[in-house]
């Protein structure tokens, strides 16, 4: 107990010490205390934090340019890709049904309700699997908005 410095004060609020140091610095140097930078406020009124999962305008513009880059005209010609049904499994409840699609000699494993995208001739295509039943696989191709029934 005797080694404790009795002149040390316990401060519950650390800002009190900072204010005292600023005052002491101001009085000894004759200059104002240096300005300290404050951390940015995270309150909603200080500029909302944007959702990182939403596509920004610049990214969507880049995708449009990528899919529209075709020749010198800028018009995109979407051609129906070569799609074949390589394999299919079917379950009575439909939950475990799946298919293997061959698109331009690449294989894609799909399930009902699933979708995926691929590029062909600098154009982005999206395939949505509508259903897989005992005899057929029904898919929709975007941006052509075509429905194909594969057997």
């Amino acid at each position: 107990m005797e080694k404790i410095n009795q002149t040390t004060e316990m401060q519950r609020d650390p800002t009190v010490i900072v204010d005292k140091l600023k005052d002491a610095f101001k009085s000894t140097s004759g200059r104002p205390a240096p300005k300290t930078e404050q951390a940015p406020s995270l309150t909603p009124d200080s500029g909302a934090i944007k959702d990182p999962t939403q596509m920004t305008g610049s990214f969507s513009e880049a995708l449009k340019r990528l899919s529209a880059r075709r020749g010198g005209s800028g018009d995109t010609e979407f051609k129906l890709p070569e799609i074949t049904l390589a394999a299919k499994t079917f379950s009575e409840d439909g939950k475990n049904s799946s298919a293997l699609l061959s698109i331009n000699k690449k294989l894609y494993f799909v399930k009902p309700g699933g979708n995926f995208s691929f590029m062909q001739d600098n154009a982005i295509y999206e395939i949505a699997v509508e259903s897989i039943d005992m005899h057929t696989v029904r898919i929709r191709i975007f941006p052509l908005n075509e429905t194909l029934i594969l057997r």
Side-chain angles (χ1 to χ4, degrees), residues 94-111:
K95 292 178 184 176
N96 296 322
S97 297
S98 61
L100 192 62
L101 302 179
S102 175
I103 302 175
N104 297 329
K105 300 180 181 176
K106 285 188 176 180
L107 296 175
Y108 297 90
F109 180 75
V110 296
K111 291 190 172 205

Side-chain angles (χ1 to χ4, degrees), residues 60-133:
S60 58
E61 282 297 316
L63 279 180
K64 284 179 189 174
R65 281 194 306 269
L66 180 64
S67 63
R69 218 182 328 156
R70 190 128 165 92
S73 66
D75 293 331
T76 303
E77 257 187 68
F78 290 100
K79 297 178 184 174
L80 195 62
E82 179 185 327
I83 301 174
T84 57
L85 179 62
K88 175 180 55 143
T89 62
F90 174 72
S91 65
E92 292 295 326
D93 61 1
K95 292 178 184 176
N96 296 322
S97 297
S98 61
L100 192 62
L101 302 179
S102 175
I103 302 175
N104 297 329
K105 300 180 181 176
K106 285 188 176 180
L107 296 175
Y108 297 90
F109 180 75
V110 296
K111 291 190 172 205
N115 58 12
F116 64 94
S117 58
F118 66 94
M119 285 190 68
Q120 172 181 300
D121 298 329
N122 288 330
I124 299 173
Y125 292 83
E126 184 174 345
I127 304 288
V129 182
E130 293 181 345
S131 66
I132 298 175
D133 61 28

Side-chain angles (χ1 to χ4, degrees), residues 50-68:
K50 304 224 185 313
D51 184 1
T53 62
Q54 296 299 316
M55 192 178 318
T56 62
S58 59
F59 185 72
S60 58
E61 282 297 316
L63 279 180
K64 284 179 189 174
R65 281 194 306 269
L66 180 64
S67 63

